[in-house]
Amino acid sequence: MADVPPEPSPSARELLGHRDYVFFWGSRWAGAFAAQIQSVAMGWHMYVLARETRSVEESAFLVGMIGLAAFLPVLLLTLPAGEAADRYDRRKVLLLCLTGEIASVLSLAIATVNGWASPALLLAIAVVFGASRAFFAPANTALGPMLVPRRLLPRAIAWNSLAWQTASIAGPAAGGFLLAHAPQTAYFTTFGLYALAMVFVASIRGNTRPEVNPGSRWQLMKEGLAYVWRQKIVFGAISLDLFAVLLGGATALLPVFARDVLHVGSEGFGVLRASPAIGATLVALWLAANPLRRYAGGFMFAGVAVFGAATVVFGLSKAMWLSVAALIVLGGADMLSVYVRQTLVQLVTPDQMRGRVAAVSSVFIGASNELGEFESGVVARILGPVGAAVFGGTGAMIVTALWAKLFPDLRRADRLE
Protein backbone atom coordinates (compact mmCIF):
# COMPACT_ATOMS: atom_id res chain seq x y z
CA MET A 1 0.00 0.00 0.00
CA ALA A 2 1.41 3.40 -1.00
CA ASP A 3 2.30 5.84 1.73
CA VAL A 4 -0.20 8.62 2.25
CA PRO A 5 1.53 11.98 1.72
CA PRO A 6 1.54 14.21 4.82
CA GLU A 7 -0.95 17.04 5.02
CA PRO A 8 0.50 20.42 4.09
CA SER A 9 1.74 22.43 7.07
CA PRO A 10 -0.75 25.13 8.16
CA SER A 11 0.33 28.65 7.30
CA ALA A 12 1.45 31.37 9.66
CA ARG A 13 -1.35 33.58 8.32
CA GLU A 14 -3.89 31.04 9.53
CA LEU A 15 -2.29 30.99 12.98
CA LEU A 16 -2.22 34.80 13.25
CA GLY A 17 -5.87 34.95 12.22
CA HIS A 18 -6.80 33.90 15.76
CA ARG A 19 -7.33 37.20 17.61
CA ASP A 20 -6.80 35.91 21.14
CA TYR A 21 -3.59 34.17 20.15
CA VAL A 22 -2.22 37.43 18.73
CA PHE A 23 -2.85 39.18 22.08
CA PHE A 24 -1.30 36.20 23.88
CA TRP A 25 1.77 36.44 21.62
CA GLY A 26 2.05 40.18 22.29
CA SER A 27 1.90 39.63 26.05
CA ARG A 28 4.52 36.92 25.79
CA TRP A 29 6.86 39.23 23.87
CA ALA A 30 6.40 42.25 26.15
CA GLY A 31 6.76 40.13 29.30
CA ALA A 32 9.87 38.40 27.96
CA PHE A 33 11.40 41.72 26.92
CA ALA A 34 10.78 43.07 30.43
CA ALA A 35 12.19 39.97 32.12
CA GLN A 36 15.36 40.12 30.00
CA ILE A 37 16.04 43.77 30.83
CA GLN A 38 15.36 43.10 34.51
CA SER A 39 17.68 40.08 34.52
CA VAL A 40 20.50 42.00 32.83
CA ALA A 41 20.05 44.97 35.14
CA MET A 42 19.95 42.94 38.34
CA GLY A 43 22.98 40.82 37.40
CA TRP A 44 25.10 43.83 36.45
CA HIS A 45 23.84 45.89 39.40
CA MET A 46 24.67 43.06 41.83
CA TYR A 47 28.17 42.66 40.39
CA VAL A 48 28.90 46.41 40.54
CA LEU A 49 27.67 46.69 44.13
CA ALA A 50 29.58 43.57 45.20
CA ARG A 51 32.85 44.64 43.56
CA GLU A 52 32.91 47.75 45.76
CA THR A 53 34.01 45.56 48.68
CA ARG A 54 34.59 42.02 47.34
CA SER A 55 36.90 40.07 45.01
CA VAL A 56 35.99 38.90 41.50
CA GLU A 57 35.28 35.34 42.71
CA GLU A 58 33.11 36.49 45.63
CA SER A 59 31.20 38.91 43.41
CA ALA A 60 30.61 36.17 40.81
CA PHE A 61 29.23 34.00 43.59
CA LEU A 62 26.73 36.72 44.55
CA VAL A 63 25.61 37.06 40.93
CA GLY A 64 24.90 33.32 40.97
CA MET A 65 22.96 33.74 44.23
CA ILE A 66 20.37 35.83 42.36
CA GLY A 67 19.52 32.71 40.39
CA LEU A 68 19.15 30.63 43.54
CA ALA A 69 16.99 33.27 45.22
CA ALA A 70 14.66 33.36 42.19
CA PHE A 71 14.51 29.57 41.94
CA LEU A 72 13.65 28.65 45.54
CA PRO A 73 10.07 30.02 45.35
CA VAL A 74 9.59 28.15 42.07
CA LEU A 75 10.68 24.92 43.74
CA LEU A 76 8.44 25.43 46.79
CA LEU A 77 5.37 26.62 44.88
CA THR A 78 5.48 24.31 41.86
CA LEU A 79 2.68 21.93 42.84
CA PRO A 80 0.16 24.56 44.01
CA ALA A 81 1.01 26.72 40.97
CA GLY A 82 0.26 23.88 38.57
CA GLU A 83 -2.95 23.02 40.37
CA ALA A 84 -4.02 26.68 40.26
CA ALA A 85 -3.45 26.77 36.49
CA ASP A 86 -5.74 23.73 36.11
CA ARG A 87 -8.42 25.04 38.49
CA TYR A 88 -8.74 28.80 37.92
CA ASP A 89 -9.12 31.08 34.92
CA ARG A 90 -5.63 31.07 33.38
CA ARG A 91 -5.96 34.63 32.08
CA LYS A 92 -6.71 35.93 35.59
CA VAL A 93 -3.77 33.99 37.04
CA LEU A 94 -1.46 35.70 34.54
CA LEU A 95 -2.83 39.13 35.44
CA LEU A 96 -2.15 38.50 39.15
CA CYS A 97 1.39 37.32 38.39
CA LEU A 98 2.15 40.38 36.26
CA THR A 99 0.89 42.56 39.12
CA GLY A 100 3.47 40.94 41.40
CA GLU A 101 6.26 41.46 38.87
CA ILE A 102 5.32 45.12 38.44
CA ALA A 103 5.37 45.64 42.20
CA SER A 104 8.82 44.03 42.55
CA VAL A 105 10.54 45.98 39.77
CA LEU A 106 8.92 49.28 40.77
CA SER A 107 10.16 48.79 44.34
CA LEU A 108 13.66 48.15 43.03
CA ALA A 109 13.55 51.25 40.81
CA ILE A 110 12.46 53.47 43.71
CA ALA A 111 15.12 52.00 46.00
CA THR A 112 17.83 52.60 43.39
CA VAL A 113 16.78 56.23 42.86
CA ASN A 114 16.95 56.84 46.61
CA GLY A 115 20.28 55.05 47.12
CA TRP A 116 18.85 52.12 49.10
CA ALA A 117 19.90 49.38 46.66
CA SER A 118 22.11 46.67 48.15
CA PRO A 119 22.97 43.01 47.44
CA ALA A 120 20.48 41.99 50.15
CA LEU A 121 17.67 43.99 48.52
CA LEU A 122 18.45 42.54 45.09
CA LEU A 123 18.23 39.03 46.53
CA ALA A 124 14.90 39.84 48.23
CA ILE A 125 13.46 41.21 44.97
CA ALA A 126 14.65 38.06 43.20
CA VAL A 127 12.62 35.98 45.68
CA VAL A 128 9.46 38.02 45.00
CA PHE A 129 10.06 37.79 41.26
CA GLY A 130 10.53 34.02 41.56
CA ALA A 131 7.25 33.63 43.44
CA SER A 132 5.37 35.47 40.69
CA ARG A 133 7.08 33.42 38.00
CA ALA A 134 6.23 30.18 39.81
CA PHE A 135 2.53 30.77 39.04
CA PHE A 136 3.11 32.58 35.74
CA ALA A 137 4.95 29.78 33.90
CA PRO A 138 2.34 26.97 34.14
CA ALA A 139 -0.60 29.30 33.49
CA ASN A 140 1.13 30.84 30.48
CA THR A 141 2.17 27.48 29.04
CA ALA A 142 -1.30 25.98 29.54
CA LEU A 143 -3.15 29.02 28.15
CA GLY A 144 -1.50 29.07 24.71
CA PRO A 145 -2.91 25.72 23.45
CA MET A 146 -6.45 26.84 24.44
CA LEU A 147 -6.30 29.69 21.90
CA VAL A 148 -5.50 27.72 18.71
CA PRO A 149 -6.76 24.50 17.07
CA ARG A 150 -4.69 21.43 17.91
CA ARG A 151 -3.33 21.09 14.36
CA LEU A 152 -1.78 24.58 14.69
CA LEU A 153 -0.04 23.74 17.97
CA PRO A 154 3.47 22.89 16.61
CA ARG A 155 3.54 26.13 14.62
CA ALA A 156 2.19 28.09 17.61
CA ILE A 157 4.97 26.69 19.80
CA ALA A 158 7.56 27.86 17.27
CA TRP A 159 5.97 31.32 17.22
CA ASN A 160 5.86 31.36 21.04
CA SER A 161 9.58 30.64 21.07
CA LEU A 162 10.10 33.34 18.45
CA ALA A 163 8.41 35.88 20.75
CA TRP A 164 10.72 34.90 23.59
CA GLN A 165 13.87 34.85 21.50
CA THR A 166 13.34 38.16 19.67
CA ALA A 167 12.69 39.75 23.05
CA SER A 168 15.83 38.05 24.31
CA ILE A 169 17.84 39.77 21.59
CA ALA A 170 16.37 43.21 22.16
CA GLY A 171 16.24 42.86 25.96
CA PRO A 172 19.94 42.38 26.80
CA ALA A 173 21.03 44.96 24.21
CA ALA A 174 18.49 47.45 25.59
CA GLY A 175 19.50 46.52 29.12
CA GLY A 176 23.16 47.21 28.40
CA PHE A 177 22.29 50.55 26.79
CA LEU A 178 20.02 51.58 29.69
CA LEU A 179 22.60 50.48 32.27
CA ALA A 180 25.11 52.82 30.65
CA HIS A 181 22.85 55.65 31.83
CA ALA A 182 21.61 54.35 35.18
CA PRO A 183 20.18 51.11 36.66
CA GLN A 184 16.90 52.83 37.57
CA THR A 185 16.30 53.65 33.89
CA ALA A 186 16.37 49.93 33.12
CA TYR A 187 14.00 49.20 36.00
CA PHE A 188 11.44 51.87 34.99
CA THR A 189 11.54 50.59 31.40
CA THR A 190 10.83 47.10 32.69
CA PHE A 191 7.84 48.46 34.62
CA GLY A 192 6.35 49.91 31.43
CA LEU A 193 6.78 46.66 29.51
CA TYR A 194 5.10 44.60 32.23
CA ALA A 195 2.19 47.05 32.15
CA LEU A 196 1.91 46.56 28.37
CA ALA A 197 1.87 42.79 28.84
CA MET A 198 -1.02 43.20 31.30
CA VAL A 199 -3.01 45.16 28.69
CA PHE A 200 -2.50 42.38 26.14
CA VAL A 201 -3.56 39.64 28.56
CA ALA A 202 -6.63 41.63 29.61
CA SER A 203 -7.62 41.86 25.91
CA ILE A 204 -8.03 38.07 25.56
CA ARG A 205 -11.77 37.40 25.40
CA GLY A 206 -12.17 33.64 24.77
CA ASN A 207 -12.79 30.97 27.38
CA THR A 208 -9.61 30.60 29.42
CA ARG A 209 -11.00 28.55 32.31
CA PRO A 210 -9.96 24.87 32.14
CA GLU A 211 -12.17 21.86 32.79
CA VAL A 212 -11.51 20.92 36.41
CA ASN A 213 -11.01 17.25 37.24
CA PRO A 214 -12.80 16.04 40.39
CA GLY A 215 -10.71 15.60 43.51
CA SER A 216 -8.97 17.57 46.22
CA ARG A 217 -6.09 19.90 45.51
CA TRP A 218 -3.62 17.37 46.87
CA GLN A 219 -5.09 14.60 44.70
CA LEU A 220 -4.78 16.78 41.60
CA MET A 221 -1.15 17.61 42.45
CA LYS A 222 -0.30 13.91 42.87
CA GLU A 223 -2.07 13.11 39.60
CA GLY A 224 0.13 15.57 37.74
CA LEU A 225 3.33 14.14 39.23
CA ALA A 226 2.23 10.58 38.46
CA TYR A 227 1.45 11.50 34.84
CA VAL A 228 4.90 12.98 34.29
CA TRP A 229 6.57 9.93 35.82
CA ARG A 230 4.54 7.45 33.72
CA GLN A 231 5.07 9.30 30.44
CA LYS A 232 8.74 8.48 29.90
CA ILE A 233 9.01 10.72 26.84
CA VAL A 234 7.80 13.68 28.93
CA PHE A 235 10.01 12.81 31.89
CA GLY A 236 13.07 12.15 29.72
CA ALA A 237 12.66 15.39 27.76
CA ILE A 238 12.31 17.72 30.72
CA SER A 239 14.96 15.97 32.84
CA LEU A 240 17.44 16.20 29.94
CA ASP A 241 16.87 19.96 29.91
CA LEU A 242 17.33 20.07 33.69
CA PHE A 243 20.72 18.41 33.86
CA ALA A 244 22.21 19.66 30.60
CA VAL A 245 21.44 23.33 31.21
CA LEU A 246 22.15 23.00 34.94
CA LEU A 247 25.72 22.12 34.05
CA GLY A 248 25.96 24.36 31.00
CA GLY A 249 24.65 27.54 32.63
CA ALA A 250 27.83 29.54 32.10
CA THR A 251 25.87 32.46 30.66
CA ALA A 252 25.12 33.41 34.27
CA LEU A 253 28.78 34.46 34.47
CA LEU A 254 28.56 36.90 31.57
CA PRO A 255 29.01 39.94 33.85
CA VAL A 256 32.31 38.40 34.97
CA PHE A 257 33.46 37.59 31.43
CA ALA A 258 32.44 41.05 30.17
CA ARG A 259 34.26 42.98 32.87
CA ASP A 260 37.25 40.86 33.90
CA VAL A 261 37.94 38.34 31.08
CA LEU A 262 37.05 40.10 27.81
CA HIS A 263 37.17 43.66 29.25
CA VAL A 264 34.24 44.98 27.16
CA GLY A 265 32.21 46.82 29.84
CA SER A 266 28.43 47.13 30.22
CA GLU A 267 27.69 47.65 26.51
CA GLY A 268 29.78 44.61 25.59
CA PHE A 269 27.90 42.74 28.31
CA GLY A 270 24.64 43.60 26.56
CA VAL A 271 26.03 42.21 23.26
CA LEU A 272 27.13 39.00 24.97
CA ARG A 273 23.71 38.61 26.63
CA ALA A 274 21.96 39.11 23.30
CA SER A 275 24.16 36.67 21.37
CA PRO A 276 22.47 33.38 22.46
CA ALA A 277 19.11 34.90 21.54
CA ILE A 278 20.38 35.81 18.07
CA GLY A 279 21.16 32.16 17.36
CA ALA A 280 17.91 31.05 18.97
CA THR A 281 15.89 33.53 16.92
CA LEU A 282 17.44 32.39 13.65
CA VAL A 283 16.52 28.79 14.47
CA ALA A 284 13.05 29.81 15.73
CA LEU A 285 12.39 31.71 12.48
CA TRP A 286 13.34 28.64 10.48
CA LEU A 287 11.14 26.39 12.64
CA ALA A 288 8.21 28.82 12.45
CA ALA A 289 8.34 28.54 8.65
CA ASN A 290 9.39 24.87 8.52
CA PRO A 291 8.19 22.88 11.58
CA LEU A 292 10.08 19.61 12.05
CA ARG A 293 8.28 16.66 10.51
CA ARG A 294 10.71 13.77 11.20
CA TYR A 295 13.52 12.61 13.51
CA ALA A 296 12.47 14.86 16.40
CA GLY A 297 14.34 12.94 19.12
CA GLY A 298 17.60 12.90 17.19
CA PHE A 299 17.40 16.64 16.58
CA MET A 300 16.79 17.28 20.28
CA PHE A 301 19.81 15.26 21.45
CA ALA A 302 22.01 16.83 18.78
CA GLY A 303 20.92 20.28 19.93
CA VAL A 304 21.89 19.60 23.55
CA ALA A 305 25.27 18.14 22.54
CA VAL A 306 26.13 21.19 20.40
CA PHE A 307 24.97 23.43 23.28
CA GLY A 308 27.56 21.82 25.56
CA ALA A 309 30.37 22.03 22.99
CA ALA A 310 29.66 25.71 22.32
CA THR A 311 29.77 26.40 26.07
CA VAL A 312 33.28 24.96 26.22
CA VAL A 313 34.41 27.13 23.29
CA PHE A 314 32.94 30.22 24.97
CA GLY A 315 34.72 29.46 28.22
CA LEU A 316 38.12 29.10 26.52
CA SER A 317 37.75 32.14 24.22
CA LYS A 318 39.77 35.28 24.85
CA ALA A 319 38.44 37.16 21.79
CA MET A 320 35.11 38.99 21.73
CA TRP A 321 34.21 37.81 18.21
CA LEU A 322 34.77 34.14 19.07
CA SER A 323 32.82 34.47 22.32
CA VAL A 324 29.89 36.03 20.45
CA ALA A 325 30.01 33.30 17.78
CA ALA A 326 30.05 30.55 20.40
CA LEU A 327 27.09 32.09 22.20
CA ILE A 328 25.13 32.37 18.92
CA VAL A 329 25.70 28.67 18.21
CA LEU A 330 24.84 27.84 21.82
CA GLY A 331 21.53 29.71 21.57
CA GLY A 332 20.54 28.13 18.26
CA ALA A 333 21.26 24.62 19.52
CA ASP A 334 19.29 25.27 22.70
CA MET A 335 16.33 26.59 20.69
CA LEU A 336 16.20 23.40 18.62
CA SER A 337 16.11 21.15 21.69
CA VAL A 338 13.58 23.36 23.49
CA TYR A 339 11.25 23.38 20.46
CA VAL A 340 11.20 19.59 20.26
CA ARG A 341 10.74 19.20 24.02
CA GLN A 342 7.88 21.68 24.29
CA THR A 343 6.07 20.27 21.27
CA LEU A 344 6.35 16.67 22.48
CA VAL A 345 5.17 17.54 25.99
CA GLN A 346 2.20 19.63 24.89
CA LEU A 347 1.04 17.19 22.22
CA VAL A 348 0.87 14.22 24.59
CA THR A 349 -0.68 16.12 27.53
CA PRO A 350 -4.49 16.55 27.80
CA ASP A 351 -5.70 20.13 28.37
CA GLN A 352 -7.10 19.51 31.86
CA MET A 353 -3.60 18.46 33.00
CA ARG A 354 -1.49 20.99 31.11
CA GLY A 355 -1.12 23.33 34.08
CA ARG A 356 0.23 20.63 36.38
CA VAL A 357 2.53 19.14 33.75
CA ALA A 358 3.72 22.65 32.83
CA ALA A 359 4.39 23.33 36.52
CA VAL A 360 6.58 20.25 36.82
CA SER A 361 8.30 21.21 33.58
CA SER A 362 8.77 24.77 34.80
CA VAL A 363 10.49 23.67 37.99
CA PHE A 364 12.83 21.51 35.90
CA ILE A 365 13.47 24.48 33.59
CA GLY A 366 13.79 26.78 36.59
CA ALA A 367 16.24 24.38 38.17
CA SER A 368 18.28 24.25 34.99
CA ASN A 369 18.37 28.03 34.61
CA GLU A 370 18.36 29.36 38.16
CA LEU A 371 20.30 26.53 39.83
CA GLY A 372 22.56 26.55 36.79
CA GLU A 373 23.42 30.14 37.66
CA PHE A 374 24.07 29.11 41.25
CA GLU A 375 26.18 26.11 40.16
CA SER A 376 28.22 28.33 37.86
CA GLY A 377 28.79 30.81 40.69
CA VAL A 378 29.93 28.07 43.08
CA VAL A 379 32.23 26.40 40.53
CA ALA A 380 33.60 29.82 39.52
CA ARG A 381 34.47 30.39 43.18
CA ILE A 382 36.61 27.23 43.03
CA LEU A 383 37.86 27.02 39.43
CA GLY A 384 37.41 30.61 38.27
CA PRO A 385 34.96 31.70 35.53
CA VAL A 386 36.83 30.00 32.65
CA GLY A 387 37.08 26.71 34.52
CA ALA A 388 33.40 26.88 35.42
CA ALA A 389 32.34 27.29 31.78
CA VAL A 390 34.55 24.42 30.55
CA PHE A 391 33.40 22.16 33.38
CA GLY A 392 29.73 22.90 32.69
CA GLY A 393 29.89 22.45 28.92
CA THR A 394 31.72 19.13 29.26
CA GLY A 395 29.14 17.97 31.79
CA ALA A 396 26.29 18.86 29.42
CA MET A 397 27.78 16.67 26.68
CA ILE A 398 28.21 13.75 29.09
CA VAL A 399 24.58 14.06 30.22
CA THR A 400 23.41 14.05 26.59
CA ALA A 401 25.13 10.73 25.91
CA LEU A 402 23.81 9.21 29.14
CA TRP A 403 20.19 10.29 28.52
CA ALA A 404 20.31 8.94 24.95
CA LYS A 405 21.03 5.53 26.48
CA LEU A 406 18.54 5.80 29.39
CA PHE A 407 15.58 7.02 27.28
CA PRO A 408 15.64 5.11 23.96
CA ASP A 409 11.99 5.96 23.18
CA LEU A 410 12.82 9.65 23.42
CA ARG A 411 15.85 9.21 21.20
CA ARG A 412 13.71 7.39 18.63
CA ALA A 413 10.81 9.90 18.73
CA ASP A 414 10.03 10.70 15.12
CA ARG A 415 7.02 12.82 14.06
CA LEU A 416 5.79 15.93 15.89
CA GLU A 417 2.14 15.28 15.10
Side-chain angles (χ1 to χ4, degrees), residues 30-31 34-35 38 94-110 125 128-130 132-133 136 186-201:
Q38 183 174 352
L94 291 183
L95 290 174
L96 287 173
C97 293
L98 286 167
T99 300
E101 291 171 6
I102 284 174
S104 67
V105 76
L106 190 58
S107 299
L108 189 52
I110 293 171
I125 293 296
V128 175
F129 180 78
S132 296
R133 282 280 151 175
F136 183 92
Y187 296 139
F188 280 120
T189 302
T190 301
F191 162 75
L193 287 166
Y194 281 138
L196 179 61
M198 285 191 72
V199 171
F200 283 135
V201 173

Side-chain angles (χ1 to χ4, degrees), residues 83 87 212-221 223 356:
E83 192 273 338
R87 180 180 294 273
V212 181
N213 285 347
S216 67
R217 284 183 166 84
W218 178 240
Q219 287 174 322
L220 293 181
M221 293 179 199
E223 187 179 79
R356 284 163 287 168

Side-chain angles (χ1 to χ4, degrees), residues 50-95:
R51 285 289 282 133
E52 292 176 358
T53 57
R54 296 172 175 87
S55 68
V56 169
E57 291 78 11
E58 291 170 334
S59 300
F61 175 75
L62 281 176
V63 172
M65 285 295 292
I66 290 182
L68 180 63
F71 171 70
L72 286 178
V74 176
L75 178 64
L76 296 174
L77 297 172
T78 292
L79 294 180
E83 192 273 338
D86 283 341
R87 180 180 294 273
Y88 302 111
D89 187 318
R90 289 164 178 168
R91 183 178 66 91
K92 292 180 179 178
V93 173
L94 291 183
L95 290 174

Side-chain angles (χ1 to χ4, degrees), residues 361-385:
S361 179
S362 71
V363 78
F364 276 59
I365 294 168
S368 64
N369 291 326
E370 314 299 352
L371 284 183
E373 293 183 10
F374 176 66
E375 177 270 340
S376 295
V378 171
V379 177
R381 184 71 176 86
I382 301 169
L383 302 178

Side-chain angles (χ1 to χ4, degrees), residues 396-411:
M397 290 187 284
I398 292 172
V399 165
T400 303
L402 181 61
W403 253 240
K405 183 175 179 61
L406 291 175
F407 296 93
D409 289 343
L410 179 61
R411 187 183 70 246

Side-chain angles (χ1 to χ4, degrees), residues 214-292:
S216 67
R217 284 183 166 84
W218 178 240
Q219 287 174 322
L220 293 181
M221 293 179 199
K222 289 195 298 182
E223 187 179 79
L225 287 172
Y227 180 85
V228 171
W229 177 252
R230 289 195 308 269
Q231 291 285 343
K232 295 306 180 185
I233 285 182
V234 174
F235 180 71
I238 63 178
S239 60
L240 173 63
D241 183 89
L242 165 67
F243 289 105
V245 183
L246 172 64
L247 292 168
T251 52
L253 298 175
L254 287 181
V256 185
F257 277 87
R259 178 165 172 166
D260 291 309
V261 177
L262 299 171
H263 308 288
V264 291
S266 63
E267 292 188 0
F269 170 53
V271 173
L272 291 173
R273 280 288 268 128
S275 296
I278 292 173
T281 299
L282 293 174
V283 173
L285 282 168
W286 187 85
L287 291 170
N290 306 278
L292 289 181

